[in-house]
Amino acid sequence: MSVRPVFVASALFSLLLPLAGAAQAEGLSGAPAPFDKGGVKIALIGYISAGDFFQAYQAGAVAQAKALGVDLRVFQGRQDAAQQREQILQAINLGVQAIIVDHGQPESLTDVVQQALDKGIKVVAFDVNLNNPKVSQIEQSDHRLAELALEQALKDNGSSFNAGYAYVAGFAPLDRRNEIWDKVRGENKGIVEKARFGTVSDTTATATADQAKAIFRANPDISVVFAPYDEFARGVKLAAADLGLSDKVKIYSADISTADIQEIVEPGSPWVATAATNPAVVGAVSVRAAALQIAGEQVPSKVVVEPVLVTQKQLRDAKVETIEDLAKKIPAFSTSAAVTASWIPAAAF
């Protein structure tokens, strides 16, 4: 997914990690300049690094960079807006050809991103709206993620139920998902939002669990929870289990990881469906968009990676245990034709 307000984070800047290794000195055969000669540097600057989704996103970016022979410099996020600004300035000083901004707070990034653009550095943003026509925005189609999850909730529970809703405002992906929640409630007056809660931090799941326990105790008639971020869903599931409510509540979410799959398929789990893209694929798409821009090719201002619905029943019936299993058994989850070219090798992940 992606979202979060400012929290207290380490005062120390993260280490710069050259995770993809040095670029291929000999270059990439058949590729346009500068990839034909090698030496291309790209920076991936995250706002959040903790959590399966972000780790998988980063792994996909690293895999695609390796396939391209790109020197990918990864700056680890610590949910610190000031640190992310400083990291962008560091990347500019390193002489990178492109910067990928992974989440963040737009108001703290606009001016430093413009500095990068002014120096001829290409900029790609994932799940943070920088409101700049020169920046290509990579999205998971957050509207569709929410639609798929809520369509399943309506199918399972009808159009009248008492709901809990996990949401934190101020982050582009969650705000887009919230637009669909408001739309669905407007079209189905029988859905009653009994409580709204959620928090984003280094311990999102456990912090959300504490909130969810209080919500469930105050609203024992809640039967459905829409938690459109997997860390929220984990927290709600933990709260339901601790209170003995797993058989009385159904959780619908967005995003997925191997750890999520294990929690969804376990006996008695209330987590019944999620809508997701493969975060590794989204990471690869982000690097491809940056590479195409460096090569002087046109990239749309908005690049959408389409999600799929994954239900508890599907996972159990297909005996899916990992993201790798899911990619093999639901091919739409494992690939995206967005922003690619014949000269870009496929990423291995």
Side-chain angles (χ1 to χ4, degrees):
M1 161 226 96
S2 57
V3 328
R4 330 63 282 224
V6 182
F7 345 66
V8 177
S10 168
L12 296 176
F13 290 130
S14 316
L15 293 177
L16 174 62
L17 304 180
L19 292 183
Q24 293 173 339
E26 70 277 13
L28 192 64
S29 177
F35 294 91
D36 58 338
K37 298 191 182 307
V40 176
K41 293 180 183 178
I42 296 176
L44 170 58
I45 300 176
Y47 182 65
I48 306 164
S49 296
D52 291 339
F53 180 92
F54 295 98
Q55 291 168 6
Y57 173 86
Q58 181 177 291
V62 168
Q64 186 64 76
K66 183 177 180 181
L68 280 163
V70 164
D71 182 357
L72 182 69
R73 304 299 181 96
V74 178
F75 292 77
Q76 299 289 349
R78 294 290 183 271
Q79 300 88 32
D80 187 317
Q83 174 174 309
Q84 192 177 30
R85 284 176 56 84
E86 178 63 25
Q87 290 171 338
I88 290 174
L89 293 174
Q90 289 179 37
I92 292 171
N93 291 333
L94 282 170
V96 300
Q97 284 108 313
I99 295 173
I100 300 167
V101 181
D102 171 19
H103 288 79
Q105 298 181 337
E107 62 275 13
S108 69
L109 298 173
T110 303
D111 60 330
V112 287
V113 164
Q114 187 60 54
Q115 287 183 44
L117 292 168
D118 289 344
K119 290 183 178 294
I121 297 171
K122 308 302 183 183
V123 179
V124 171
F126 169 50
D127 267 356
V128 54
N129 186 3
L130 298 176
N131 291 309
N132 191 313
K134 293 184 178 180
V135 176
S136 290
Q137 174 72 47
I138 312 298
E139 297 179 7
Q140 300 181 80
S141 184
D142 290 290
H143 286 157
R144 190 60 185 144
L145 282 167
E147 287 170 353
L148 288 169
L150 290 171
E151 285 168 3
Q152 188 65 34
L154 290 168
K155 179 179 178 182
D156 293 345
N157 304 280
S159 58
S160 297
F161 52 80
N162 293 321
Y165 178 40
Y167 171 57
V168 175
F171 294 89
L174 287 188
D175 291 343
R176 289 191 289 262
R177 296 170 196 185
N178 180 63
E179 290 170 3
I180 300 303
W181 171 246
D182 287 343
K183 178 174 181 287
V184 169
R185 283 195 304 133
E187 294 171 349
N188 298 273
K189 301 301 184 183
I191 298 176
V192 179
E193 183 184 303
K194 301 288 288 187
R196 181 174 293 203
F197 59 99
T199 187
V200 180
S201 68
D202 287 338
T203 58
T204 294
T206 54
T208 300
D210 291 339
Q211 292 183 335
K213 287 179 188 178
I215 295 300
F216 285 139
R217 290 189 182 107
N219 301 276
D221 54 346
I222 287 177
S223 59
V224 171
V225 176
F226 181 43
Y229 169 35
D230 58 346
E231 293 295 312
F232 289 164
R234 285 186 183 189
V236 175
K237 177 179 175 290
L238 178 61
D242 286 351
L243 296 177
L245 300 175
S246 295
D247 61 340
K248 298 179 175 62
V249 175
K250 291 180 180 178
I251 302 167
Y252 299 83
S253 74
D255 307 324
I256 198 166
S257 68
T258 291
D260 295 341
I261 290 170
Q262 293 167 357
E263 294 202 38
I264 292 169
V265 301
E266 71 181 27
S269 174
W271 192 347
V272 297
T274 190
T277 56
N278 185 335
V281 170
V282 181
V285 167
S286 300
V287 171
R288 296 204 301 262
L292 286 169
Q293 286 198 15
I294 292 168
E297 299 187 23
Q298 289 296 314
V299 175
S301 59
K302 182 177 180 180
V303 178
V304 176
V305 181
E306 292 295 331
V308 296
L309 178 72
V310 180
T311 67
Q312 184 183 78
K313 185 177 187 304
Q314 283 177 311
L315 295 173
R316 287 175 174 171
D317 288 351
K319 295 182 170 52
V320 171
E321 297 181 355
T322 66
I323 284 289
E324 291 74 22
D325 289 345
L326 183 59
K328 291 175 185 175
K329 295 174 181 179
I330 302 181
F333 182 76
S334 63
T335 60
S336 173
V339 288
T340 192
S342 59
W343 58 270
I344 297 180
F349 50 77

